[in-house]
Amino acid sequence: MAGEVALERAGGRNRRVFDIKIIVGGVIILLAVAYLVVAALPSGTAYYITVSELADMGERAQTQQTRVSGNVVPGTIVRSAESQDVRFQVEDESGRLTVVYSGVLSDIFGDHVQVVVEGKQGQDGVYYADQVFAKCPSRFEEAAPAGKDYAQPG
C-alpha cells in the first residue's frame, strides 16, 4: 500500500511538470505569433493620400511606400511599344501626378477611371507605381425608370 502511494505521488509530480511544459510552450507560441503580426503591420500599411499631401512629403516620398488615389486624366495614357510600361496622369481636387507603371493593367483601366497607385516618387517628380488598382464602376446599378413602382412582394 505504501508503494502505491509513492507511485501516485511520483505520477502527480510528472503530470504537473508535463502541464507546465504545455503551458510554457503555448505561451511561447502565442508570443511568436503576436510578434509576427506586429512586425508585419508597418510594412503592410500604406494610407491613401492626396496628390498635394504627396508633394508636401518632400524627400520622404522617395523612400516611403505610399498610396495615392485619383482619377485617370483623359488623353494622358501612353503605352510603350517595346515594354509593358504605361505612363498616365492621375488627378484629384488638389492636383495632378504623373505615374509610370510597368505591368499588366486591368481591363477597366482607362480615362476617367478612379485608381489607387501604390509606389514611390522618383527624384524626377514622377511617381513609380508598383501596383495600380482600378475601381470597378458599378455597371449593374441603374435608376428605376420614372413612373415605375417596383414594390417588394409580400
Side-chain angles (χ1 to χ4, degrees):
M1 187 142 181
E4 290 178 11
V5 172
L7 284 175
E8 283 181 24
R9 287 184 187 157
R13 191 175 311 133
N14 286 341
R15 183 166 177 85
R16 268 189 243 131
V17 170
F18 180 72
D19 289 345
I20 290 173
K21 286 182 181 179
I22 288 177
I23 291 171
V24 169
V27 168
I28 290 172
I29 290 172
L30 285 174
L31 289 174
V33 169
Y35 171 76
L36 291 174
V37 169
V38 170
L41 283 178
S43 64
T45 305
Y47 298 100
Y48 296 93
I49 59 175
T50 64
V51 174
S52 66
E53 288 172 334
L54 180 71
D56 291 344
M57 287 179 68
E59 290 183 13
R60 283 188 314 139
Q62 297 171 18
T63 59
Q64 184 176 342
Q65 189 82 356
T66 56
R67 285 185 180 171
V68 180
S69 178
N71 294 319
V72 177
V73 178
T76 63
I77 300 172
V78 178
R79 298 178 191 270
S80 172
E82 304 88 43
S83 66
Q84 291 184 343
D85 288 357
V86 180
R87 178 182 287 264
F88 58 96
Q89 290 185 350
V90 172
E91 73 178 349
D92 61 13
E93 309 82 43
S94 64
R96 281 190 181 190
L97 176 66
T98 299
V99 178
V100 172
Y101 173 69
S102 180
V104 178
L105 291 165
S106 72
D107 292 339
I108 61 172
F109 178 83
D111 292 344
H112 300 289
V113 171
Q114 185 179 5
V115 295
V116 175
V117 292
E118 182 175 334
K120 296 178 184 173
Q121 190 166 21
Q123 290 180 345
D124 56 359
V126 174
Y127 191 87
Y128 293 94
D130 301 322
Q131 294 184 349
V132 175
F133 305 98
K135 181 178 178 187
C136 183
S138 180
R139 298 177 184 153
F140 304 108
E141 289 182 18
E142 190 172 312
K148 297 280 186 177
D149 183 21
Y150 293 100
Q152 296 294 325

